[in-house]
Amino acid sequence: MKPMKMKQYMAALSICVMGLASCDLNISPDSYIAEDFFFEDAAQVNTAVIGCYGGLQGPMEYEWTLTELRSDNTRMRISSTTNEVNLQLSVLDMSVMNASNLNVRNYWETTYKNINNCNTVLNPRNLAVVTDDKLRNQYEGEALFIRSYHYFNLVRLFGPVFIVTESISIEESMKKERSAVGEVYKRITDDLKLAVEKLEGIKYGSQDNGRVTDLAAKSLLAKVYLTLYQYSDAKTLLEQAIAVKGETLIPYADIFDINNEMNDEIIFAIRYKAGNQGVGSPFANFFAPTNSGTLVIIGSGDGRNYPTTDIISSYEPEDKRKDVSLAENYIDESKPNPIINEAYIKKFLSAVSVRYDAENDWPVIRYADVLLMYAEVLNELESPDNALKYLNLVRTRAGISPISAADVPNRNAFRDLVEKERRLELAFENQRWFDLLRWNKAKEVVNKHIHDIEWGFYSTYNNPPGYMEDYQLILPIPQSVIDNNNGVITQNPNY
């Protein structure tokens, strides 16, 4: 059989095959990992690895609710709702979520299910059936990357979490406590370093477009080091990435064009395939305006993740990124006033035949992200002058004027520039919340967003939010996990 492109291969697999045993796995407690499924040949291991890629879609369905919606980039569209789905989202928007929130639980469960998929691939007995050393290294590196990506998100969202790298019994899981943040980061960095080593020199054909590369592993590891303020370690990896990619950026609109997927800008993305096969992207309908019929997208929209007035006004007039990222209105010719002033996210919008079944991939690591990380690192280690070049590469691509050295008197001034540039460049890509955490600015920015900039909206809730407190910077462990572990697992403070 001829090799199929990976995206088509994902679509051809049923959801249960993509997730291996995880479709039948009732994770109770959520830290429990099922017995190993052993493979007989390299083809079965490859199918399992493809399952790990498919398993990325589950957490991504909820990630925006735990990141963008909790930041100053987006908010709910209306405050008066009795719809349970919107109520569950509203409390995240106001940072008053509790341990029973379904978005929090679903994210946790789908993430650990895919960690289970990765652990199955990484079982030495399964890897041993791959007799080709290069291919075995590739599969191991891919699974290590995906598992590390999941743990990186978990530790930033929840703090201490379970480290599960192999199958454990139900009895063992009931006694298992969460690992400290430092231990989780050590596991992440160790695994990503090994992934870099295993993926070194691996080249893919067009049929495997979208699989993890050593460049993706280096870029993710650099972001982990940046999060840990290990600037020198991050700098080395980012320089290696820039040596490969150069200083040429494709037009901003081309990054998100469904006819130009996995382009030079994309270092790693979560892939989707339209066609009513269960692996299409839901975000076009999630984010399109409610009651818009077919004027924006077939099947109308849910009006979720509504762009804030602050981010809309933050773009400079000539900034090409604004029109790619969002729209401030849509046209309804049947109305006396056809301009419907309702903003929505455009970045993941493409035509669909079936609701929640768009083609758009979701970028996880882009080259502009690498350039802006490098600018941030150079500012911290050297000087703003050295860092300006890389900030300006991104600004110039956006069609806005470069910043001159005279405009950046010190490191703090450059930090402000990087913050704004990352916000606009990576808008609605689930990066903003993590950036604010890294800069220790999340509480300050969100409180200003809610109580100053958007208070006209938030004050209309029946129970308007108070000021965010430190404990709300991390999410509660799902109550189901606490209940299923007989009091062994402790909840995060104040939840």
Side-chain angles (χ1 to χ4, degrees):
M1 181 178 74
K2 280 187 173 182
M4 302 168 69
K5 290 185 178 180
M6 191 181 79
K7 195 166 181 177
Q8 294 172 321
Y9 191 16
M10 282 173 54
L13 296 173
S14 72
I15 296 301
C16 286
V17 171
M18 286 171 58
L20 303 174
S22 66
C23 283
D24 299 319
L25 176 62
N26 178 15
I27 300 182
S28 180
D30 296 71
S31 58
Y32 171 61
I33 300 302
E35 293 182 6
D36 293 310
F37 180 89
F38 295 118
F39 304 116
E40 297 177 355
D41 55 37
Q44 290 184 351
V45 177
N46 183 51
T47 299
V49 174
I50 299 294
C52 296
Y53 285 99
L56 290 164
Q57 292 183 356
M60 183 53 68
E61 184 173 341
Y62 305 100
E63 188 177 295
W64 64 272
T65 74
L66 311 182
T67 54
E68 289 295 299
L69 192 59
R70 293 169 68 209
S71 79
D72 57 339
N73 275 359
T74 65
R75 63 166 174 82
M76 295 297 291
R77 187 180 70 89
I78 58 173
S79 59
S80 56
T81 180
T82 57
N83 179 282
E84 183 60 28
V85 172
N86 287 336
L87 289 173
Q88 294 280 330
L89 293 171
S90 294
V91 293
L92 287 163
D93 184 18
M94 295 187 286
S95 292
V96 293
M97 57 278 163
N98 61 36
S100 297
N101 188 275
L102 289 178
N103 296 284
V104 174
R105 176 175 179 170
N106 289 338
Y107 183 85
W108 177 281
E109 290 184 349
T110 53
T111 298
Y112 271 104
K113 283 184 178 181
N114 205 40
I115 288 172
N116 176 51
N117 293 342
C118 295
N119 288 340
T120 301
V121 171
L122 292 168
N123 186 298
R125 179 171 167 179
N126 286 331
L127 288 173
V129 306
V130 185
T131 56
D132 182 281
D133 291 344
K134 187 175 181 180
L135 196 58
R136 184 172 59 253
N137 285 340
Q138 175 196 316
Y139 294 155
E140 184 176 0
E142 290 175 280
L144 284 167
F145 173 93
I146 294 171
R147 189 176 73 182
S148 298
Y149 165 75
H150 284 315
Y151 275 123
F152 187 35
N153 286 343
L154 283 171
V155 74
R156 290 182 293 175
L157 289 170
F158 293 94
V161 293
F162 301 115
I163 299 177
V164 185
T165 59
E166 58 186 4
S167 296
I168 57 176
S169 69
I170 293 178
E171 291 74 21
E172 288 172 318
S173 73
M174 298 292 267
K175 300 174 184 177
K176 190 172 179 65
E177 182 51 281
R178 295 183 289 159
S179 296
V181 166
E183 294 177 48
V184 181
Y185 273 112
K186 186 177 188 308
R187 167 58 62 179
I188 294 167
T189 54
D190 286 350
D191 281 356
L192 281 175
K193 284 189 282 189
L194 184 57
V196 169
E197 178 186 322
K198 296 292 182 179
L199 294 166
E200 193 74 44
I202 299 292
K203 304 296 182 185
Y204 298 114
S206 59
Q207 73 274 11
D208 288 318
N209 204 9
R211 299 187 85 137
V212 178
T213 62
D214 60 343
L215 179 62
K218 289 176 181 178
S219 300
L220 183 60
L221 181 54
K223 184 166 283 191
V224 174
Y225 283 141
L226 187 62
T227 302
L228 297 173
Y229 313 114
Q230 295 177 217
Y231 298 119
S232 295
D233 292 322
K235 180 174 182 282
T236 299
L237 293 165
L238 294 167
E239 285 175 341
Q240 292 173 11
I242 291 169
V244 171
K245 298 292 285 183
E247 297 179 3
T248 302
L249 296 173
I250 68 172
Y252 195 75
D254 290 354
I255 300 169
F256 308 96
D257 185 346
I258 62 171
N259 298 308
N260 190 37
E261 294 179 323
M262 296 311 299
N263 50 69
D264 286 344
E265 174 80 12
I266 303 299
I267 294 176
F268 184 71
I270 295 174
R271 310 216 64 192
Y272 293 88
K273 180 69 178 174
N276 199 24
Q277 299 174 83
V279 289
S281 167
F283 303 109
N285 288 102
F286 276 2
F287 301 158
T290 54
N291 303 317
S292 56
T294 59
L295 297 172
V296 175
I297 190 170
I298 288 175
S300 195
D302 296 333
R304 304 177 188 173
N305 225 21
Y306 188 89
T308 62
T309 54
D310 184 55
I311 195 169
I312 291 171
S313 64
S314 293
Y315 290 93
E316 296 176 40
E318 64 273 23
D319 196 326
K320 298 175 182 178
R321 297 172 296 195
K322 182 178 181 180
D323 185 56
V324 176
S325 300
L326 62 89
E328 295 186 68
N329 53 60
Y330 64 95
I331 305 299
D332 185 351
E333 296 289 358
S334 68
K335 305 289 185 183
N337 183 357
I339 300 176
I340 309 301
N341 290 310
E342 185 168 337
Y344 60 94
I345 295 169
K346 289 174 58 180
K347 215 170 230 186
F348 311 103
L349 182 68
S350 64
V352 301
S353 299
V354 178
R355 202 171 192 215
Y356 307 126
D357 189 45
E359 180 74 14
N360 312 71
D361 294 340
W362 190 291
V364 173
I365 307 172
R366 294 205 277 112
Y367 187 46
D369 188 358
V370 168
L371 291 173
L372 291 173
M373 285 195 288
Y374 190 54
E376 188 173 342
V377 163
L378 288 181
N379 182 56
E380 299 301 328
L381 290 177
E382 298 175 13
S383 70
D385 289 354
N386 292 354
L388 265 176
K389 172 183 176 180
Y390 301 96
L391 180 77
N392 283 331
L393 282 173
V394 176
R395 287 179 61 86
T396 301
R397 193 257 298 272
I400 51 181
S401 302
I403 302 292
S404 69
D407 296 324
V408 192
N410 52 50
R411 280 195 173 94
N412 282 335
F414 192 85
R415 288 176 186 134
D416 291 341
L417 290 170
V418 167
E419 178 184 334
K420 180 177 180 180
E421 213 57 49
R422 286 189 63 84
R423 185 187 188 192
L424 300 179
E425 174 67 29
L426 304 170
F428 317 124
E429 295 177 41
N430 298 350
Q431 300 290 339
R432 175 65 169 170
W433 176 256
F434 293 135
D435 283 343
L436 292 174
L437 287 179
R438 186 175 80 253
W439 298 323
N440 294 312
K441 298 185 72 172
K443 190 171 71 167
E444 169 195 341
V445 167
V446 170
N447 281 333
K448 181 179 179 181
H449 157 65
I450 291 176
H451 292 279
D452 296 339
I453 300 172
E454 296 272 0
W455 186 241
F457 168 74
Y458 287 99
S459 64
T460 61
Y461 276 103
N462 289 333
N463 295 298
Y467 284 86
M468 175 184 268
E469 299 182 37
D470 287 338
Y471 80 90
Q472 293 164 316
L473 294 173
I474 59 173
L475 296 167
I477 303 301
Q479 190 60 43
S480 58
V481 177
I482 305 294
D483 294 342
N484 287 329
N485 282 269
N486 297 325
V488 173
I489 297 172
T490 57
Q491 181 58 274
N492 282 330
N494 297 311
Y495 285 111

